[in-house]
Amino acid sequence: WPQTSGITEQFDSGDQTFMENQNNQKQTNATTSVGGDIQSPADVPSQPDVDPQEMKRLQVQLGKGNKKTETKFLLNQKNHKLTLTPESLKRTETLYIKGCSNAEYIVEARCTKVLIESCNNVKVTFNSIITTSTAEVWKCDNVDLSINCKLETIQVDLCNNVTADFRRRDMIHQVVWAGVTDIKVSIPDGSGSKETVSSGIVHMKELYPDLQEQTDQFMIRIVETNLISEALVRLENGFPTTEREAKAFEEREKRNKIIAEKHLKKLVKTAEVKHSPKTKVGRNDPCTCNSGIKYKKCCGK
């Protein structure tokens, strides 16, 4: 196995048992290079063995048939505090954190995207640009996201207790979730305090008794000046939107239809006047175009 370096790791100094257990295990913490070759960093404390079949499944899931795809895997880590720097995380890589518990990750390097799966008691701090401005979290318990860069879309599915704290209001566009028991999103309110929206399945079931818990989606975002949570619906063309926006769209369509009908009727009436049988019109008679002006000063010039 070729070796790589550059990952900075920190541990609690009093956790001697953890260090001893780690030294007795085989080092298998993995990252991928171009084409999906797995590399084991020499300077990362040992990890539980990763099932080769599981690694293959992850590679297929991420589209490893594409030779340009690069992924940094952090798998099954426990009691870790890890800082990812440009030396350990490439800007062309997707960061994939899976099966980790009681861990903290600080992303100081630019990367393409962040995926977090099946983790428990994990905190992730984003301090650098995410190229796609996207992060996905699913099948996790107690995940804390601290966002200090623009992260426009966070997708959260089938989780318990997820928090997302944005340092600035302009860093958030939307947090889309489904099947989440508790989710909290916080942004600065402009007065030194935080504006927080708390939502989840129980709360939404009170508003939507017929909702499908694992599939119906909801969105948290800023509307005008307030952070709100809304249900997502699909328009007839498949475009995702909210009930509020769908209703406003329908009202606009109705108004536009009325305006179009009035305009069409006016055009038809004008055409009928212009094509009506010609009759002799006196020069001082009202003009036939209904302008209200005498014929001699209008169409009779």
Side-chain angles (χ1 to χ4, degrees):
W1 295 70
Q3 304 296 311
T4 61
S5 61
I7 297 179
T8 305
E9 188 103 66
Q10 302 174 11
F11 298 91
D12 293 333
S13 59
D15 196 353
Q16 297 298 325
T17 302
F18 168 74
M19 293 298 292
E20 291 172 2
N21 291 339
Q22 290 295 302
N23 291 331
N24 291 331
Q25 294 175 354
K26 180 182 177 181
Q27 292 192 6
T28 57
N29 182 48
T31 182
T32 63
S33 61
V34 175
D37 296 330
I38 302 173
Q39 300 174 333
S40 180
D43 58 346
V44 176
S46 56
Q47 304 294 313
D49 288 338
V50 179
D51 183 358
Q53 293 299 319
E54 175 66 7
M55 181 62 72
K56 190 177 293 185
R57 185 191 70 78
L58 292 175
Q59 291 174 347
V60 171
Q61 180 178 330
L62 289 166
K64 299 309 288 187
N66 182 353
K67 296 297 182 181
K68 294 182 180 179
T69 300
E70 297 180 87
T71 306
K72 175 75 150 185
F73 288 106
L74 299 177
L75 305 177
N76 305 322
Q77 296 183 346
K78 300 180 190 297
N79 304 312
H80 281 192
K81 184 173 182 181
L82 177 67
T83 299
L84 292 146
T85 64
E87 291 74 29
S88 60
L89 179 62
K90 299 177 185 177
R91 61 191 300 161
T92 56
E93 287 182 314
T94 291
L95 176 60
Y96 198 146
I97 305 171
K98 179 174 181 182
C100 300
S101 60
N102 303 316
E104 180 178 354
Y105 300 101
I106 303 171
V107 184
E108 297 284 0
R110 181 170 183 168
C111 64
T112 301
K113 189 177 183 179
V114 177
L115 307 175
I116 306 171
E117 179 188 1
S118 301
C119 291
N120 181 35
N121 294 326
V122 166
K123 179 176 181 179
V124 182
T125 301
F126 299 91
N127 290 335
S128 189
I129 296 172
I130 310 298
T131 304
T132 61
S133 200
T134 302
E136 298 179 19
V137 184
W138 70 101
K139 295 181 180 178
C140 293
D141 295 323
N142 304 317
V143 171
D144 183 5
L145 306 176
S146 180
I147 300 116
N148 301 312
C149 62
K150 196 160 191 176
L151 190 55
E152 292 188 342
T153 300
I154 301 178
Q155 176 79 43
V156 184
D157 295 309
L158 306 176
C159 293
N160 297 310
N161 192 22
V162 175
T163 63
D165 184 15
F166 291 82
R167 183 166 59 87
R168 295 204 318 259
R169 295 175 69 90
D170 62 348
M171 291 177 173
I172 181 177
H173 175 59
Q174 60 186 11
V175 177
V176 180
W177 64 271
V180 181
T181 56
D182 299 287
I183 183 167
K184 292 181 181 179
V185 178
S186 300
I187 59 173
D189 66 358
S191 65
S193 299
K194 288 284 186 179
E195 179 183 353
T196 302
V197 163
S198 298
S199 193
I201 293 173
V202 175
H203 173 66
M204 285 303 176
K205 260 206 161 182
E206 294 176 358
L207 302 175
Y208 308 96
D210 298 328
L211 76 83
Q212 301 296 315
E213 292 188 6
Q214 296 190 346
T215 57
D216 284 356
Q217 291 184 307
F218 300 88
M219 178 189 293
I220 299 174
R221 62 177 172 172
I222 299 173
V223 176
E224 295 180 352
T225 59
N226 298 318
L227 192 64
I228 65 173
S229 182
E230 301 178 280
L232 271 179
V233 296
R234 297 273 174 181
L235 298 178
E236 290 182 359
N237 61 4
F239 185 81
T241 184
T242 64
E243 287 188 334
R244 174 184 52 80
E245 289 175 328
K247 186 176 180 181
F249 176 78
E250 289 175 0
E251 290 176 351
R252 284 196 303 272
E253 287 286 286
K254 204 175 289 184
R255 286 197 301 269
N256 290 340
K257 187 177 180 181
I258 293 172
I259 292 172
E261 287 177 350
K262 287 182 178 179
H263 182 64
L264 183 60
K265 287 178 180 177
K266 186 176 180 181
L267 290 176
V268 170
K269 188 174 181 180
T270 302
E272 288 175 348
V273 170
K274 286 184 178 180
H275 293 87
S276 60
K278 291 185 177 180
T279 57
K280 190 173 181 179
V281 182
R283 288 178 53 76
N284 291 318
D285 291 340
C287 188
T288 55
C289 72
N290 296 321
S291 65
I293 303 173
K294 288 184 179 181
Y295 178 72
K296 66 182 179 182
K297 293 184 178 181
C298 189
C299 296
K301 283 185 178 181

